[in-house]
Amino acid sequence: MDISYWGLFFSLLLLAFPLFIFWHLKLKLTKQLLISFGRMIAQLALIGIWLQILLDKNNIWLTLGWLLIMITNAVIILRNRMKSHKRILAPIFFIALAAASLIVMPWVLFVVIRPNPLFSADVVIPIYGMVLGNTMNSCALAMERFEGKLSDNWKAYYTLISLGASDWEAALPAFRQAMHISLLPRLLSIAAMGIVSLPGMMSGQILGGASALVAIKYQVMIMAAIFSSVTIADYLAIRLYLKWRFDQFYLPKEER
Amino acid sequence: MSELLKIRIDRLYYGERNLVENIDLTVNKGDKILLAGTTGSGKTSLLNSLNLMNQSYEGEIIFDGRAITGCPPQFLRSRILMVMQEPWLGEGIVEDILAEPFCFAAVRKRGMKKDDKMILELFDLFKLPQEHLKKKAEQLSGGEKQRIALIRALIMKPEILLLDEISSALDQGTSRIVADYLLKSYPGTIIAISHDPLWQAHWQIQWHIKDGIIHIIQGGE
């Protein structure tokens, strides 16, 4: 069922409630709310036009080019989110996201869904958007936590290397904690799916007219793809960063 | 006595500042050496240089006939082992903390195995109740942590033990017991930093850093 433009306008009127609460609490979020929603509408409108062109053309090279732009944007966003070591993090994030994508996406497309034609833009782009968006956020969180755990307790790292641990062995506790912090909330939200929350993809498909059974199948598939991609990218990003973070004597490299 | 370590350093520095110049020292097997000097004189920098924890020097350190910079750091550090002033023990119980280094690949490759008998003997010797083996590190006092960190190092049977102010949280009586064991009973080689007068009086060799020069003083027990 389509939404009319008036309907869309009325949906935005719901924002009157948060705006009233912001005003009541003198919460300085009004400007940010207007900017955020303004940007979202403009970006979605532009991307909607562009996606329509991509879907109509359904050209493999055009689609691949767009996927490359998506991943490059994800890397730039990730790089800007990091507080330190930005120069080295850009290639690390690129490798981690690209490797996770190259493992998960061909499997989803060529083994699970098998659309006809195999590389149809209307399947590849929305699925990759969900996988990449989730992977990007998780990668940022995992990396922040890893660096945070190391920096908060250098004494632990130095003690372990002075007892004969390699950099890998000494950084492993921080690595484990970062992965745990990044993955546990996802597993909990997966466990709550269906009872507590109806996920976006499934809701969207049902609203778009698909049967509940098809929507459930897609949801299970996308959650498996996202969780796999997130875990691979987190692991690779931290592993590569760890390799760079310490010199040949396992001492931390200076900030540069 | 067989030569274990040769230290030939033209310049030891921290940032822009020269700490010690023209170091030419030899450590023989079984030596008990006290590294003394005022705060900021370069004692810790020198000690850290011996197990690759510091590279701010010009020169060469030879261990077992080989430049230490050419040795894999994890193997070198399991043989030249450092105990720090404020030890970090970990989050588990003491028993697991003592076992942890034996899981490291470099320690396993040396064929080292945890010696439970030695642990109990050292616990008795250093006046630590054996019930502490089941306690968590955060339940221990500063002095108990220092002794457990020392035991963790001793049971790894390093060829050289580097000690950085390990008696700072110990009372006089315990400090004497630890010093007596290290100097009289412990068969290995020790290079230690200490400001404790009790420790300073009893070492075989003293490397005293003064005005950027190391003076070697023989004596003590």
Side-chain angles (χ1 to χ4, degrees):
Chain A
M1 194 188 295
D2 195 7
I3 299 176
S4 68
Y5 286 106
W6 276 111
L8 201 60
F9 172 73
F10 288 132
S11 76
L12 290 173
L13 283 185
L14 282 171
L15 295 177
F17 293 100
L19 283 171
F20 174 75
I21 292 167
F22 293 171
W23 169 79
H24 176 63
L25 293 175
K26 297 196 171 36
L27 209 58
K28 289 178 180 164
L29 282 176
T30 308
K31 193 177 160 195
Q32 188 57 52
L33 181 146
L34 296 174
I35 291 172
S36 296
F37 274 85
R39 272 190 67 162
M40 177 188 73
I41 292 165
Q43 284 165 194
L44 287 179
L46 283 173
I47 215 71
I49 296 165
W50 171 239
L51 279 181
Q52 198 55 54
I53 298 168
L54 273 182
L55 299 182
D56 290 344
K57 297 263 183 211
N58 203 13
N59 176 296
I60 184 168
W61 298 112
L62 215 55
T63 308
L64 275 175
W66 180 241
L67 300 186
L68 203 63
I69 291 172
M70 284 167 78
I71 200 168
T72 308
N73 270 322
V75 170
I76 292 168
I77 293 168
L78 275 174
R79 183 184 177 276
N80 292 339
R81 258 177 78 166
M82 293 297 132
K83 292 187 187 85
S84 56
H85 307 300
K86 290 185 175 203
R87 199 169 58 92
I88 188 67
L89 280 172
I92 286 175
F93 282 135
F94 186 82
I95 295 169
L97 293 181
S101 308
L102 285 171
I103 293 168
V104 170
M105 284 308 288
W107 185 264
V108 166
L109 284 180
F110 307 143
V111 179
V112 181
I113 307 178
R114 284 180 291 171
N116 192 17
L118 265 180
F119 212 79
S120 1
D122 57 348
V123 177
V124 177
I125 291 172
I127 289 180
Y128 191 55
M130 281 186 281
V131 171
L132 186 64
N134 280 280
T135 309
M136 178 187 82
N137 285 325
S138 184
C139 227
L141 180 67
M143 191 62 88
E144 277 167 357
R145 291 305 166 120
F146 177 66
E147 180 59 34
K149 290 281 170 198
L150 273 182
S151 312
D152 289 349
N153 198 359
W154 279 121
K155 204 199 271 182
Y157 179 83
Y158 281 117
T159 301
L160 293 175
I161 60 166
S162 72
L163 289 167
S166 64
D167 51 353
W168 162 256
E169 287 164 328
L172 201 53
F175 196 165
R176 283 198 194 107
Q177 285 174 339
M179 292 291 283
H180 198 268
I181 288 167
S182 160
L183 299 178
L184 184 66
R186 285 187 180 276
L187 289 173
L188 294 177
S189 93
I190 289 169
M193 249 169 220
I195 299 170
V196 183
S197 63
L198 268 190
M201 187 190 199
M202 191 173 150
S203 310
Q205 280 198 313
I206 292 171
L207 286 170
S211 78
L213 185 63
V214 172
I216 287 166
K217 284 184 192 165
Y218 266 85
Q219 190 59 45
V220 171
M221 177 276 295
I222 197 72
M223 291 322 293
I226 288 172
F227 194 77
S228 175
S229 170
V230 159
T231 313
I232 295 168
D234 285 2
Y235 173 80
L236 282 178
I238 298 178
R239 192 82 216 242
L240 290 170
Y241 180 63
L242 200 154
K243 200 96 191 127
W244 172 85
R245 188 70 177 84
F246 304 104
D247 64 16
Q248 82 234 57
F249 304 116
Y250 306 151
L251 300 175
K253 284 184 186 169
E254 293 297 314
E255 178 90 10
R256 57 194 80 178
Chain B
M1 276 208 222
S2 63
E3 193 178 276
L4 207 54
L5 196 69
K6 261 181 185 224
I7 309 165
R8 308 265 180 274
I9 294 178
D10 299 327
R11 189 169 83 93
L12 179 74
Y13 56 93
Y14 183 80
E16 299 286 299
R17 197 162 70 92
N18 273 8
L19 296 171
V20 192
E21 287 180 343
N22 303 320
I23 304 172
D24 186 354
L25 299 164
T26 302
V27 179
N28 293 313
K29 213 170 182 178
D31 276 355
K32 309 282 190 280
I33 299 162
L34 179 78
L35 184 50
T38 52
T39 305
S41 59
K43 300 185 299 291
T44 301
S45 293
L46 179 58
L47 204 68
N48 282 336
S49 304
L50 305 183
N51 73 341
L52 292 169
M53 298 292 270
N54 174 45
Q55 264 80 47
S56 299
Y57 65 86
E58 287 163 12
E60 201 174 37
I61 299 168
I62 310 282
F63 172 63
D64 214 7
R66 194 175 166 194
I68 60 166
T69 45
C71 302
Q74 68 273 42
F75 287 102
L76 183 91
R77 289 180 186 133
S78 70
R79 296 174 70 189
I80 304 180
L81 210 144
M82 160 92 79
V83 184
M84 296 174 187
Q85 183 177 5
E86 289 172 24
W88 176 86
L89 292 179
E91 281 150 11
I93 60 168
V94 170
E95 202 170 40
D96 295 338
I97 289 165
L98 294 173
E100 189 180 15
F102 295 92
C103 301
F104 300 150
V107 180
R108 282 205 317 269
K109 275 191 188 154
R110 276 184 64 209
M112 301 302 298
K113 291 219 162 58
K114 186 164 72 90
D115 185 344
D116 290 325
K117 193 168 155 259
M118 187 178 177
I119 292 174
L120 295 178
E121 282 169 5
L122 289 169
F123 260 65
D124 285 345
L125 190 72
F126 292 166
K127 307 280 176 221
L128 286 165
Q130 287 181 13
E131 299 81 68
H132 276 21
L133 282 166
K134 300 287 176 199
K135 275 194 176 175
K136 287 196 162 193
E138 65 253 31
Q139 294 172 284
L140 306 175
S141 69
E144 288 169 336
K145 282 182 187 166
Q146 277 191 334
R147 276 173 282 167
I148 285 167
L150 178 62
I151 292 173
R152 176 169 62 181
L154 289 169
I155 59 171
M156 290 175 71
K157 298 178 182 137
E159 280 150 83
I160 301 178
L161 191 57
L162 308 174
L163 307 175
D164 189 358
E165 288 281 0
I166 59 146
S167 63
S168 59
L170 302 182
D171 59 66
Q172 281 280 300
T174 318
S175 183
R176 182 182 293 277
I177 291 169
V178 172
D180 275 353
Y181 170 74
L182 292 175
L183 282 166
K184 293 173 185 167
S185 310
Y186 179 67
T189 309
I190 299 176
I191 305 172
I193 297 174
S194 179
H195 287 110
D196 186 341
L198 186 78
W199 284 50
Q200 291 196 337
H202 295 94
W203 290 78
Q204 295 169 342
I205 304 160
Q206 206 182 106
W207 294 347
H208 191 93
I209 305 177
K210 199 175 176 194
D211 302 326
I213 303 286
I214 293 198
H215 304 271
I216 303 169
I217 304 163
Q218 301 282 344
E221 286 179 8

